[in-house]
Amino acid sequence: MHKKIIQSLCLFLYIIITNSYLATAMETYNYSVDGQLTANNSYKFIYDKNGNLIKKIKRSLLRSGFDSENFENYMMENSNYVIPVREGRDARIVPDGSLQGAYTMYAKAPVAWEWDTYLTSDPSKLKLEPNTTYTVSFKHKTISEPGSGGYFDFFVRSLKGTPVEDRGWLTWNEAAGTVGSKVVTFTTGTHDDYQLSWGMRYGGAVLIDDIRVIKNNESFEAATLDNIDYVIPVREGRDARIVPDGSLQGAYTMYAKAPVAWEWD
């Protein structure tokens, strides 16, 4: 009896130690040249010129590589997406666990409609920055196939631009009952109002779920270092900041100037 108790206790301690080790191994830490902690997996730390911590910024969902569509909240208004209004289409969140979780996005349009966009990202909740690379993934299930010559599609569109400026265009058309997933990487242009969009050509019915968004580069286009993976180490006498400059990429870039007397900076 005592032997079994000891074995169980050892197993319990092993699990605790192993999980603690794995959690520590997965955590990453960034330090400045002065040895100050500048960022970890959850926060970015800002210091004044005297080395005092003055601000702790929680990393955005986009930078951590995960954005959930929140369909599990049952109502569209609680998600990061909107359904464009159009009479004659059936588009809503439905209780369905065949893709991810208990709820998913359902859309059905008449086969007589050549084009229909049934789901877009809400730019007030999910803002795509200009000149920035993103990867979007999602799961889908065909309920009924589009009409002849039709397909389901995904694209990224700016309301300020034109359809020829769309990014990330992809299409698919699979038999009813087919479950699949899509991954697309794209780079936005100069506009600041891009939206993720799901549509269909010549109708059909489809389920969409588990939408995830990753921002792949640092993007200074927000004109601030907040919520990105870079910091400017504090050092008096150096001019380092984000400036409005379009000579490299986008409208903003990182500028740095240091005295020639400094050997290293």
Side-chain angles (χ1 to χ4, degrees), residues 75-109:
M75 294 182 292
M76 208 70 204
E77 54 265 33
N78 293 331
S79 79
N80 297 326
Y81 297 84
V82 295
I83 299 172
V85 177
R86 186 174 184 183
E87 189 174 354
R89 179 219 297 130
D90 183 7
R92 51 197 164 91
I93 295 177
V94 298
D96 182 286
S98 60
L99 289 179
Q100 180 80 15
Y103 290 81
T104 188
M105 172 69 198
Y106 169 81
K108 180 180 181 181

Side-chain angles (χ1 to χ4, degrees), residues 195-248:
Q195 293 177 288
L196 309 180
S197 302
W198 284 261
M200 56 182 74
R201 187 181 187 199
Y202 295 128
V206 66
L207 296 176
I208 300 292
D209 207 349
D210 196 26
I211 304 170
R212 296 170 183 256
V213 182
I214 297 173
K215 185 165 69 171
N216 296 331
N217 61 2
E218 94 298 323
S219 184
F220 296 138
E221 294 306 304
T224 175
L225 288 176
D226 291 351
N227 295 324
I228 65 174
D229 285 344
Y230 297 86
V231 295
I232 300 173
V234 177
R235 186 174 186 183
E236 190 172 354
R238 180 218 298 124
D239 182 7
R241 51 199 164 90
I242 295 177
V243 298
D245 182 283
S247 61
L248 293 178

